[in-house]
Structures are given as structure tokens and as C-alpha cells.
Amino acid sequence: MNTVVILGIESSCDESSAAVSFNTGIRSNLIATQKIHETFGGVVPELASRAHQLHILPVVSEALHQANISKNELHAIAFTRGPGLMGSLLVGCSFAKSLSAALDIPLIEVNHMHAHVLAHFIESGRPVPSFPFLCLTVSGGHTQIVLVHDHFNMEIIGETLDDAAGEAFDKTAKILGLPYPGGPVVDKLAQLGNPHAFKFTTPHAPGLNFSFSGLKTAILYFIRDAVKKDEHFAQKHLPDICASVQHTIVSYLLSKLEQAAAKHGISDIAIAGGVSANSGLRKALEAMKEKNGWNIFIPEFQYCTDNAAMIAVSGYFKYLKKDFTDLSVSPAAGLDFHQSS
Ligand code: KG4
Ligand code: ZN
């Protein structure tokens, strides 16, 4: 079969991204990060959708340019249908629909959470997981343990009952007065601190599920009490606090992943989503590889956080099945995991 060339478009949150794939290989992957949200300490949906409107055309043009192709060489356009912010999704969805109509090529809808998992199949010279495998998808909006039967058949076997792991990082940063998004900042500081300096109780949730909302309150009270005794406590102990919080989150994630692997007898273990960029999580997973004899799979850094390369490659697998969408499609902010597979 000839090479399939797909344009992927991702606009579910605050990254406007476009990528061109040749089968599972990526020829370009452009990401325009919206800096505007830093001022507000979190993503402002209305500003996000306006920024997507400004970014979408230059990002797509540059993705085609860097891939060294013209739009007439595309075989299909894949876009994120959901889940995400409605205003943001609308921009990517409308753009993808218009371009596919103008070029008269198929349109492919992609579930953002499936795409994070399928990022493992982007050609990168690294081994790919074998089916069935487990994927811990940890992002700013989701925390899921996914049992991946094949490219299209995935099952959530554990998930957060409240906050996502990324939110736990972001909220910790906010409490400590650190900039948004907090995850990468906490990660950087944590590398300079002692993970055992302070002890936070591991959260509880039944089975393979997670809960992170209590951790945020525990950190808030811990800082509040310590600041009563020394008003500069947080500034003085930033690396130790970050290292201790990160250690608590990472140990919690991995203990559940270990339970899931044992329960399902699976040893191919992957991580995905923005938090899979975390150096503590990557290191701890490496340690699990030795301890449990796991084969571990960590996506390249640029494919961990939101990106259109994962949308393009997910689109490729659907293209092979001729799983196309018609122009009546609309974005779905709360798209269910089991829809659109
Ligand atoms: O997958 P993603 O880019 O967007 C969503 O779909 O949510 O994930 C963003 C989340 C944010 O909460 C961000 O703070 C977190 O991923 N994140 C990190 C790191 N890099 C990004 N969390 C911890 N350590 C990091 N290095
Ligand atoms: Zn994401």
C-alpha cells in the first residue's frame, strides 16, 4: 500500500498543534503554546478559543511547510473531537471540516484520550508495546489505567474519582506561589530536594481508582500551619516540599499500576499524557522494570504533552479501517472514552 499522508489537528485545551504523518512516521509536529494563561494561573477557556483562532492557520501552514508537502498531497485530515474545552475544540473541528471539504478528502475524528495511548505507536526507533498492555494516562484532566487490547479496543480499569494527577501538580504549584502550568516547575524543583523531607498521607480510593482532592487540602493545611511558625517556610523549603509532594503522587500512581499489572497478568507497561513527562515518574518506572520484570514504554518527551502527532497517527490507524466521519460531526467536550473508537 502507498504511504498514507495525514494532517493531524489538536486543539482540545491550550495548545494549538498541527502535524503531518507519513504512515506512523512524523514529518512535522508544530505546537503553539498559549502563554496568555500564565497571567491567570490556569487556562481561561474564552481566551484559549480566541488564541486557537489566531494560531490554527499559521500552525497548519508551517506543519505542511516543514513536512515539505502541499495540501494537495494529503490523504485525510484527523482532528480531536473531544474531550476538552468546547470553544477550543470548535476551532480545530471547524477548521478540519472546512479543509477536508475544500480538498475533498476524508475527515477522521479522534478521541484525545485514545490518542495519548496511541502516541506509543509513533515511529521513533523505540520498541512499541505488544497487545494487551497497560497504559497509565496521566494528564491535566485525566488519570486512567487503560487496558489496551488493540489500537481500537481499550478499557478503563481504574481512574480518578476527583482531581487528575496533573491538577495535583498544578494546585501544589499554585499553593506554593509557583507559575502555571505547575507540573514542570514542581518537577524541576523536586530534582533539587529530598523526597522524604516531609510526609503526606497517601490518598485512598477503592480498587484501581485514584483520588487526589485530599492531597491538595493536606498540602494547603501543611503549608498554612508551617507558615504560622515561620512566615518564610515555603520559600526556604521549596525543593524539599516539591520533592516530597512529587514522591507522594508518583508512589501512589505506581502502586496502583503495580496492582493492575498483577491483577491482569500483564508485563508490558506504558505511561502517557502530560504528567508522563515527569522525571520522578520516569525514574520510578525504570525502577519497577527491574523489580517486576516489566517491559516499560515511555513516549518521547514531545509526544507526552498535548500534540497533533498523536492525533495524526491515531488518524492513520482509522484510515486503514476507512473509519471516516461526515461533515455533520460536532465537537464533544465530554466525549466518553468508549465513544469514537
Ligand atoms: O496531556 P496534557 O498536556 O494536557 C491535558 O490533556 O491535560 O497534560 C498537561 C498536564 C498539566 O497538569 C501539567 O502540569 C502536567 O501535565 N505536566 C507535568 C509535567 N509536564 C507537564 N506534571 C508533572 N511533571 C512534569 N514534568
Ligand atoms: Zn492531553
Side-chain angles (χ1 to χ4, degrees):
M1 186 179 172
N2 292 336
T3 304
V4 179
V5 185
I6 294 192
L7 171 69
I9 294 176
E10 157 62 31
S11 73
S12 65
C13 190
D14 60 343
E15 316 276 16
S16 317
S17 182
V20 173
S21 60
F22 279 41
N23 296 344
T24 55
I26 298 301
R27 289 297 171 95
S28 62
N29 181 38
L30 272 286
I31 302 173
T33 301
Q34 303 178 359
K35 291 280 177 202
I36 181 111
H37 307 291
E38 283 174 14
T39 323
F40 299 93
V43 177
V44 183
E46 179 58 30
L47 296 180
S49 57
R50 286 190 214 172
H52 282 303
Q53 286 178 331
L54 290 177
H55 293 164
I56 190 99
L57 193 54
V59 156
V60 168
S61 304
E62 188 56 24
L64 294 171
H65 176 72
Q66 286 191 14
N68 202 18
I69 58 159
S70 90
K71 57 185 185 307
N72 298 318
E73 290 170 79
L74 293 170
H75 292 112
I77 298 177
F79 72 99
T80 303
R81 182 172 174 225
L85 300 171
M86 188 45 128
S88 293
L89 291 166
L90 258 172
V91 178
C93 176
S94 312
F95 190 92
K97 281 164 72 169
S98 314
L99 193 56
S100 87
L103 298 173
D104 196 20
I105 54 175
L107 180 66
I108 302 171
E109 65 178 82
V110 172
N111 182 315
H112 182 86
M113 299 313 296
H114 292 189
H116 271 303
V117 174
L118 296 176
H120 286 281
F121 296 94
I122 294 173
E123 232 174 83
S124 65
R126 303 174 183 215
V128 296
S130 317
F131 299 121
F133 67 93
L134 289 183
C135 185
L136 173 71
T137 312
V138 267
S139 72
H142 295 84
T143 302
Q144 303 172 335
I145 301 179
V146 182
L147 175 53
V148 188
H149 298 286
D150 65 38
H151 294 117
F152 308 101
N153 183 3
M154 306 181 195
E155 191 186 334
I156 297 177
I157 56 169
E159 63 186 328
T160 185
L161 304 176
D162 40 57
D163 289 353
E167 268 177 291
F169 275 103
D170 294 339
K171 285 177 178 172
T172 300
K174 204 165 189 174
I175 293 168
L176 294 172
L178 299 171
Y180 176 87
V185 187
V186 171
D187 186 358
K188 225 175 186 172
L189 284 162
Q191 290 173 39
L192 309 169
N194 172 7
H196 304 290
F198 305 108
K199 181 137 187 62
F200 298 100
T201 313
T202 306
H204 281 290
L208 297 174
N209 293 323
F210 299 93
S211 165
F212 284 102
S213 64
L215 183 62
K216 175 191 65 188
T217 318
I219 296 163
L220 192 65
Y221 289 174
F222 168 75
I223 303 288
R224 188 195 61 186
D225 294 346
V227 164
K228 275 186 197 153
K229 293 179 201 141
D230 173 2
E231 62 173 317
H232 301 298
F233 176 84
Q235 290 93 318
K236 278 189 205 162
H237 299 281
L238 263 184
D240 283 349
I241 300 170
C242 289
S244 302
V245 170
Q246 181 168 298
H247 175 72
T248 309
I249 297 172
V250 167
S251 316
Y252 183 43
L253 290 171
L254 288 183
S255 74
K256 293 282 177 154
L257 194 54
E258 233 178 343
Q259 284 176 40
K263 184 173 172 188
H264 292 271
I266 289 179
S267 56
D268 274 23
I269 312 288
I271 56 173
V275 182
S276 64
N278 184 267
S279 62
L281 180 59
R282 287 170 170 243
K283 217 184 270 170
L285 193 68
E286 288 284 349
M288 288 278 173
K289 174 176 154 184
E290 307 303 326
K291 181 181 162 206
N292 297 329
W294 287 354
N295 305 311
I296 62 164
F297 303 89
I298 305 175
E300 246 178 63
F301 205 76
Q302 58 168 328
Y303 304 134
C304 287
T305 47
D306 289 349
N307 66 86
M310 67 184 192
I311 305 300
V313 166
S314 303
Y316 168 69
F317 292 119
K318 286 187 144 192
Y319 185 93
L320 296 182
K321 284 204 317 176
K322 295 198 173 8
D323 185 354
F324 303 140
T325 309
D326 66 47
L327 290 175
S328 67
V329 67
S330 52
L335 187 64
D336 184 77
F337 188 83
H338 299 106
Q339 246 178 302
S340 181
S341 51

